[in-house]
Amino acid sequence: MTVEEVPTPEAGAGDVLVDVKASAVNHTDVWIRRGYEGDPPVVTGIDVAGEVADVGASVDRFDVGDRVVLYWNTEHCGTCEFCNDGETTLCRDYGGLGVTRDGGHAEYVAVAAEHAVRLPEDVPFEHAAAVPSNFGTAWRGLVSRADVDPSDDVLVLGASGGVGHGAVQIAAHAGATVYAASSSAEKAARLRELGADHVIDYGDRDVDDAIAELTDRRGVDVVFESIGGDTYKQAIRCLTRGGRLVTIGATTGDADEAMLQHVFWKQLEVIGATGATMGEFGDMLDALFDGAIEPIIDSVIPLEEIPSAHERLSAGDSFGKIIVSP
């Protein structure tokens, strides 16, 4: 990874040029650097908030100086069966900022005006940049895909991460009883402040044993996880009969076992989720603007410190979001 001087992007007829005030570091950036996805060389940075610096000739929704947060899934074909149903995250040509086109780890980024949302004055740029991909994916996974409601017990694994601490708040916002897995007493206290009813220190005990004890061996209705690997097996064991596993990533790799004997015997649903539609993005932002959810900012760094931020993400050595201020 390098920091370079590049030409300032230009706003096309339907675009806005955004002066980036804050952007977030994500595990996706790490995967792109490792060559697992994306189309490098590319300017990383999926999640972006800033001020409109220029508008294209056909744009009448924004003026220079407007505060905006950007929808990151800017690329899809618009004509396939999934796009026609509004399910753009299922499009084969799905992509966007910081992955298949230059993103927000820069001073400026240009996007179609339709992918910008006006940001209220009382929402800090850092908070706005912390939520698009992580909180958007958690919203899609828990609200749209798993249909979580007040009758559900929800376990969030990796709860102190960027997406995990969003999932805790979104599950609580839906009225569910929330169980969160954490690695320290300090993180546990912060998760309770965010809405977790029960916090399990997985450094002291296995999560599935703790869930069995806390639920009188019933298990939980929904497990939300983004880790994969051996954590997938724990997640399956934590579910009650008829439960739903929402998996939104595999930061430690694929699970070695499918656990099919548990899946069919307990009649489980394994639900994948990635990204969010523009409608889901808007619903999540409404909750942010209303104060129902609020991201935790781990730290704010300059561009030059992004490589060390990747190391912290890979080690799980953060709580909430690492924000870049270019």
Side-chain angles (χ1 to χ4, degrees), residues 6-24:
V6 298
T8 300
E10 296 183 0
D15 296 341
V16 291
L17 177 67
V18 176
D19 180 355
V20 179
K21 300 301 182 183
S23 58

mmCIF file of all heavy atoms in Angstrom, residues 6-24:
data_model
loop_
_atom_site.group_PDB
_atom_site.id
_atom_site.type_symbol
_atom_site.label_atom_id
_atom_site.label_comp_id
_atom_site.label_asym_id
_atom_site.label_seq_id
_atom_site.Cartn_x
_atom_site.Cartn_y
_atom_site.Cartn_z
ATOM 1 N N VAL A 6 -2.489 11.924 -6.785
ATOM 2 C CA VAL A 6 -3.183 11.534 -8.008
ATOM 3 C C VAL A 6 -4.067 12.699 -8.455
ATOM 4 O O VAL A 6 -4.375 13.597 -7.654
ATOM 5 C CB VAL A 6 -4.049 10.276 -7.795
ATOM 6 C CG1 VAL A 6 -3.183 9.081 -7.409
ATOM 7 C CG2 VAL A 6 -5.117 10.519 -6.750
ATOM 8 N N PRO A 7 -4.493 12.706 -9.702
ATOM 9 C CA PRO A 7 -5.382 13.788 -10.151
ATOM 10 C C PRO A 7 -6.696 13.782 -9.375
ATOM 11 O O PRO A 7 -7.217 12.723 -9.021
ATOM 12 C CB PRO A 7 -5.616 13.461 -11.627
ATOM 13 C CG PRO A 7 -4.468 12.596 -12.031
ATOM 14 C CD PRO A 7 -4.115 11.798 -10.806
ATOM 15 N N THR A 8 -7.232 14.957 -9.112
ATOM 16 C CA THR A 8 -8.538 15.060 -8.460
ATOM 17 C C THR A 8 -9.614 14.540 -9.421
ATOM 18 O O THR A 8 -9.638 14.936 -10.588
ATOM 19 C CB THR A 8 -8.851 16.511 -8.091
ATOM 20 O OG1 THR A 8 -7.843 16.986 -7.206
ATOM 21 C CG2 THR A 8 -10.206 16.633 -7.408
ATOM 22 N N PRO A 9 -10.508 13.642 -8.952
ATOM 23 C CA PRO A 9 -11.575 13.153 -9.844
ATOM 24 C C PRO A 9 -12.460 14.308 -10.313
ATOM 25 O O PRO A 9 -12.570 15.351 -9.639
ATOM 26 C CB PRO A 9 -12.360 12.189 -8.948
ATOM 27 C CG PRO A 9 -11.467 11.883 -7.807
ATOM 28 C CD PRO A 9 -10.594 13.075 -7.605
ATOM 29 N N GLU A 10 -13.094 14.115 -11.444
ATOM 30 C CA GLU A 10 -14.029 15.107 -11.962
ATOM 31 C C GLU A 10 -15.450 14.565 -11.873
ATOM 32 O O GLU A 10 -15.690 13.373 -12.066
ATOM 33 C CB GLU A 10 -13.692 15.459 -13.415
ATOM 34 C CG GLU A 10 -12.335 16.136 -13.576
ATOM 35 C CD GLU A 10 -12.066 16.535 -15.014
ATOM 36 O OE1 GLU A 10 -12.952 16.277 -15.873
ATOM 37 O OE2 GLU A 10 -10.991 17.088 -15.292
ATOM 38 N N ALA A 11 -16.388 15.451 -11.572
ATOM 39 C CA ALA A 11 -17.798 15.061 -11.500
ATOM 40 C C ALA A 11 -18.388 15.027 -12.902
ATOM 41 O O ALA A 11 -18.355 16.034 -13.621
ATOM 42 C CB ALA A 11 -18.569 16.042 -10.628
ATOM 43 N N GLY A 12 -18.911 13.842 -13.286
ATOM 44 C CA GLY A 12 -19.628 13.754 -14.546
ATOM 45 C C GLY A 12 -20.976 14.444 -14.442
ATOM 46 O O GLY A 12 -21.345 14.992 -13.386
ATOM 47 N N ALA A 13 -21.748 14.392 -15.511
ATOM 48 C CA ALA A 13 -23.008 15.140 -15.561
ATOM 49 C C ALA A 13 -23.940 14.780 -14.415
ATOM 50 O O ALA A 13 -24.622 15.653 -13.865
ATOM 51 C CB ALA A 13 -23.697 14.905 -16.895
ATOM 52 N N GLY A 14 -23.984 13.492 -14.035
ATOM 53 C CA GLY A 14 -24.892 13.069 -12.970
ATOM 54 C C GLY A 14 -24.220 12.824 -11.647
ATOM 55 O O GLY A 14 -24.817 12.210 -10.755
ATOM 56 N N ASP A 15 -23.001 13.316 -11.477
ATOM 57 C CA ASP A 15 -22.200 13.003 -10.297
ATOM 58 C C ASP A 15 -22.113 14.160 -9.306
ATOM 59 O O ASP A 15 -22.408 15.318 -9.633
ATOM 60 C CB ASP A 15 -20.762 12.647 -10.702
ATOM 61 C CG ASP A 15 -20.673 11.399 -11.541
ATOM 62 O OD1 ASP A 15 -21.636 10.610 -11.532
ATOM 63 O OD2 ASP A 15 -19.640 11.219 -12.212
ATOM 64 N N VAL A 16 -21.668 13.813 -8.108
ATOM 65 C CA VAL A 16 -21.189 14.804 -7.149
ATOM 66 C C VAL A 16 -19.741 14.472 -6.820
ATOM 67 O O VAL A 16 -19.365 13.308 -6.720
ATOM 68 C CB VAL A 16 -22.032 14.821 -5.847
ATOM 69 C CG1 VAL A 16 -23.416 15.368 -6.117
ATOM 70 C CG2 VAL A 16 -22.116 13.440 -5.209
ATOM 71 N N LEU A 17 -18.927 15.514 -6.706
ATOM 72 C CA LEU A 17 -17.558 15.361 -6.222
ATOM 73 C C LEU A 17 -17.577 15.658 -4.734
ATOM 74 O O LEU A 17 -18.058 16.721 -4.307
ATOM 75 C CB LEU A 17 -16.619 16.333 -6.937
ATOM 76 C CG LEU A 17 -15.158 16.316 -6.468
ATOM 77 C CD1 LEU A 17 -14.493 14.992 -6.829
ATOM 78 C CD2 LEU A 17 -14.389 17.497 -7.059
ATOM 79 N N VAL A 18 -17.082 14.716 -3.924
ATOM 80 C CA VAL A 18 -17.163 14.837 -2.475
ATOM 81 C C VAL A 18 -15.777 15.085 -1.892
ATOM 82 O O VAL A 18 -14.829 14.341 -2.179
ATOM 83 C CB VAL A 18 -17.781 13.572 -1.849
ATOM 84 C CG1 VAL A 18 -17.779 13.651 -0.325
ATOM 85 C CG2 VAL A 18 -19.201 13.381 -2.369
ATOM 86 N N ASP A 19 -15.665 16.135 -1.107
ATOM 87 C CA ASP A 19 -14.480 16.424 -0.306
ATOM 88 C C ASP A 19 -14.573 15.534 0.934
ATOM 89 O O ASP A 19 -15.401 15.764 1.815
ATOM 90 C CB ASP A 19 -14.489 17.904 0.075
ATOM 91 C CG ASP A 19 -13.305 18.320 0.921
ATOM 92 O OD1 ASP A 19 -12.505 17.443 1.312
ATOM 93 O OD2 ASP A 19 -13.181 19.529 1.215
ATOM 94 N N VAL A 20 -13.748 14.485 0.981
ATOM 95 C CA VAL A 20 -13.866 13.457 2.014
ATOM 96 C C VAL A 20 -13.423 14.013 3.369
ATOM 97 O O VAL A 20 -12.305 14.478 3.521
ATOM 98 C CB VAL A 20 -13.027 12.216 1.657
ATOM 99 C CG1 VAL A 20 -13.136 11.169 2.761
ATOM 100 C CG2 VAL A 20 -13.481 11.633 0.319
ATOM 101 N N LYS A 21 -14.319 13.946 4.342
ATOM 102 C CA LYS A 21 -14.000 14.356 5.708
ATOM 103 C C LYS A 21 -13.701 13.152 6.593
ATOM 104 O O LYS A 21 -12.958 13.274 7.574
ATOM 105 C CB LYS A 21 -15.167 15.155 6.301
ATOM 106 C CG LYS A 21 -15.511 16.416 5.525
ATOM 107 C CD LYS A 21 -14.338 17.374 5.430
ATOM 108 C CE LYS A 21 -14.720 18.657 4.689
ATOM 109 N NZ LYS A 21 -13.548 19.560 4.524
ATOM 110 N N ALA A 22 -14.270 12.003 6.268
ATOM 111 C CA ALA A 22 -14.034 10.794 7.061
ATOM 112 C C ALA A 22 -14.345 9.573 6.205
ATOM 113 O O ALA A 22 -15.274 9.582 5.398
ATOM 114 C CB ALA A 22 -14.905 10.781 8.312
ATOM 115 N N SER A 23 -13.536 8.532 6.370
ATOM 116 C CA SER A 23 -13.803 7.237 5.738
ATOM 117 C C SER A 23 -13.350 6.157 6.702
ATOM 118 O O SER A 23 -12.542 6.408 7.593
ATOM 119 C CB SER A 23 -13.085 7.114 4.393
ATOM 120 O OG SER A 23 -11.685 7.288 4.558
ATOM 121 N N ALA A 24 -13.883 4.952 6.545
ATOM 122 C CA ALA A 24 -13.624 3.889 7.511
ATOM 123 C C ALA A 24 -12.685 2.831 6.942
ATOM 124 O O ALA A 24 -12.603 2.642 5.730
ATOM 125 C CB ALA A 24 -14.936 3.232 7.939
#
